[in-house]
Amino acid sequence: SAANQVGKTVPKFVRREFEKYLACGILENGFVRVYCHQCRHEKVVAFSCKCRGFCPSCTARRMNDLAFHIVNKVLPEKVDVRQWVLSMPYTVRFVLAHKPKVTCKVLKIFTRTISAWLKNKAKHELSISAQDLKTGAITFIQKAGDAANANTHYHTLFCSGVCYEKDGKCLWHVVEAPTTEEQKKLVVKLMLTI
């Protein structure tokens, strides 16, 4: 209840970021004048707070810039991407929220497990050693859930297949999406390993 919160304070970094957010995009807090020499149009642009947590404008801009970079510069063309999400039980979430090294170890286990599954499925289809197959992934670690609660979870974009070399050429092989049974086995394997 609100009565229980009286006298309690938030961490300084939260207060600092919230104050920056309140000043974001307000001209009296600073701006730049942008002028185009060709069309002679000029515009005043207010400084942004560049905060990661509270500001929807700055967060959306950063998200769009990153998405554009990944789609146009990182992901290979004409390769489908499959999203894998790993969410942990409540007891593990609190550990992940406070121990970055554990968060990284869980990520390694997660990506290794999915990568091994892709390679094993492809090696039977191609009759190639799993060591000759390569996978690719990008992970975004989110620290909170929809209700701003502590919920460290992983969103991983895996290329939906493997690449391998044959006769000096790099070839791509699509791996079908996992069946429900395969998903269950992967979950059990992950939980036993983690």
Side-chain angles (χ1 to χ4, degrees):
S1 71
N4 293 337
Q5 301 301 315
V6 173
K8 294 192 177 180
T9 60
V10 295
K12 286 181 184 176
F13 75 91
V14 173
R15 186 180 180 131
R16 218 173 19 246
E17 187 157 325
F18 190 68
E19 286 170 354
K20 280 185 179 179
Y21 157 65
L22 292 175
C24 183
I26 298 174
L27 291 172
E28 68 183 47
N29 294 323
F31 61 88
V32 292
R33 190 177 128 252
V34 182
Y35 178 76
C36 176
H37 291 287
Q38 290 179 336
C39 69
R40 297 179 186 248
H41 179 75
E42 74 177 66
K43 184 177 182 178
V44 175
V45 181
F47 291 147
S48 63
C49 62
K50 298 184 172 76
C51 291
R52 293 182 177 276
F54 292 108
C55 186
S57 175
C58 291
T59 303
R61 191 179 311 115
R62 185 179 285 110
M63 181 181 68
N64 288 335
D65 289 347
L66 182 59
F68 181 85
H69 173 73
I70 288 170
V71 169
N72 292 293
K73 306 271 175 142
V74 178
L75 295 175
E77 288 183 32
K78 299 178 184 175
V79 171
D80 289 335
V81 175
R82 191 173 292 130
Q83 180 179 208
W84 296 76
V85 180
L86 177 64
S87 186
M88 305 304 289
Y90 287 107
T91 52
V92 180
R93 290 179 189 178
F94 295 113
V95 175
L96 296 176
H98 298 287
K99 302 199 178 221
K101 287 183 180 178
V102 177
T103 304
C104 291
K105 284 182 182 176
V106 170
L107 174 59
K108 283 181 185 177
I109 292 168
F110 178 44
T111 53
R112 267 195 229 130
T113 302
I114 304 304
S115 183
W117 173 80
L118 283 165
K119 289 179 179 182
N120 284 331
K121 197 157 181 180
K123 79 176 183 182
H124 295 299
E125 296 169 1
L126 296 169
S127 300
I128 296 176
S129 167
Q131 292 177 337
D132 297 328
L133 303 173
K134 305 286 183 206
T135 61
I138 299 170
T139 299
F140 298 92
I141 301 174
Q142 294 190 340
K143 294 286 190 176
D146 292 341
N149 56 323
N151 179 9
T152 301
H153 58 288
Y154 307 82
H155 289 264
T156 300
L157 301 175
F158 255 100
C159 293
S160 59
V162 295
C163 64
Y164 61 99
E165 196 175 318
K166 187 175 181 183
D167 301 326
K169 292 182 181 177
C170 184
L171 300 174
W172 176 253
H173 176 75
V174 175
V175 174
E176 292 298 318
T179 63
T180 304
E181 195 58 40
E182 287 172 320
Q183 288 178 37
K184 287 178 183 176
K185 287 178 181 175
L186 283 167
V187 168
V188 169
K189 186 174 183 181
L190 279 165
M191 291 304 115
L192 289 174
T193 312
I194 294 169

